Amino acid sequence: MAEQTYQLVMRSGPTPGRVYELTQPKATIGRDPTNEIVINHPEMSRKHAILTLQTGGYVIEDAGSTNGTYVHGQRLMGPHLLRPGELILFGENISLAYEALPFDADATQVSQPSASATVAAKPPIYVPPPLEASPQPVPRTYKPSYSGQVPPGPVQSYPPPGEPLTYVEEEEERPRSRLWLFAGCGCLLVLLCLGVAGIIFFDYQNLYCTWPFSVLDFLWTCP
């Protein structure tokens, strides 16, 4: 008997209707091209979620994304075993339906052994394999609700229930080494200018001939 196979079908997002066949024991979903399932959208993190094949189907887990992963409007706070027909939501505008594919149509035949050599063998009885009806996609008539828990990882804070959620595009990491270098050089330049200005002011006011600098008159000649 063939193993059960699954797929994801995009309901809303950059390419509605696109089918992602799940053929690997583990697959990552995100914006980065190195993921097994690549969805190029600003609401997607570079590595948004992880799918792992286990007994009974695939388990989905959020990978610490910015805008979160939802199943039927509930934000995931840990691993969740997907059931056929469930709708997965990434952010606010990207949704994929989790579907189970029917088994291969390999007919199972049951034959009865002949009673004797003189009796003709009965034709094999054809038993059609059981087919799983493909579940209809659940219409999207809800918005993600905040579950009241703080998820682990770099997740932005969410407003209380009842207020609209605000999604932000994940910011790219930018190197800051040059910024610190410029800031350090600027501070050294300011200190050098202040030192030169202090020496000029000290000489212009003849402060080296006043107390307490006059005790060092052996270093210079006061007027």
Side-chain angles (χ1 to χ4, degrees), residues 93-115:
N93 299 311
I94 306 170
S95 62
L96 288 85
Y98 176 73
E99 298 180 355
L101 298 177
F103 291 102
D104 294 336
D106 295 329
T108 303
Q109 297 182 354
V110 179
S111 59
Q112 297 292 337
S114 57

Side-chain angles (χ1 to χ4, degrees), residues 74-88:
Q74 296 295 325
R75 185 165 187 163
L76 296 182
M77 299 302 171
H80 173 77
L81 178 61
L82 291 170
R83 293 185 296 272
E86 287 188 328
L87 194 67
I88 308 170

Side-chain angles (χ1 to χ4, degrees), residues 199-214:
I199 294 174
I200 295 174
F201 178 78
F202 187 86
D203 183 70
Y204 181 77
Q205 297 292 334
N206 291 327
L207 296 178
Y208 52 83
C209 291
T210 61
W211 191 89
F213 304 105
S214 59

Side-chain angles (χ1 to χ4, degrees), residues 180-204:
W180 286 108
L181 179 61
F182 293 153
C185 293
C187 292
L188 291 177
L189 182 60
V190 171
L191 293 176
L192 181 61
C193 293
L194 291 176
V196 173
I199 294 174
I200 295 174
F201 178 78
F202 187 86
D203 183 70
Y204 181 77

Side-chain angles (χ1 to χ4, degrees), residues 8 22 24-31 34-37 39 44-54 57-65 68-71 76 78-82 88-90 98:
L8 294 176
L22 303 177
Q24 300 179 357
K26 186 174 183 180
T28 58
I29 306 173
R31 192 178 71 245
T34 59
N35 293 285
E36 284 73 18
I37 299 177
I39 302 177
M44 296 291 297
S45 297
R46 287 185 295 273
K47 185 177 180 182
H48 203 107
I50 303 174
L51 287 171
T52 306
L53 181 61
Q54 296 185 6
Y58 278 86
V59 173
I60 188 170
E61 184 177 5
D62 188 82
S65 63
T69 303
Y70 300 81
V71 175
L76 296 182
H80 173 77
L81 178 61
L82 291 170
I88 308 170
L89 198 63
F90 302 111
Y98 176 73

Side-chain angles (χ1 to χ4, degrees), residues 113-121:
S114 57
S116 61
T118 58
V119 180

Side-chain angles (χ1 to χ4, degrees), residues 94-166:
I94 306 170
S95 62
L96 288 85
Y98 176 73
E99 298 180 355
L101 298 177
F103 291 102
D104 294 336
D106 295 329
T108 303
Q109 297 182 354
V110 179
S111 59
Q112 297 292 337
S114 57
S116 61
T118 58
V119 180
K122 296 182 179 179
I125 302 175
Y126 174 77
V127 179
L131 296 178
E132 279 192 27
S134 179
Q136 296 296 327
V138 179
R140 183 185 172 198
T141 58
Y142 54 83
K143 290 187 178 181
S145 62
Y146 183 69
S147 62
Q149 301 182 15
V150 179
V155 182
Q156 66 180 14
S157 59
Y158 279 76
E163 296 185 9
L165 297 176
T166 301

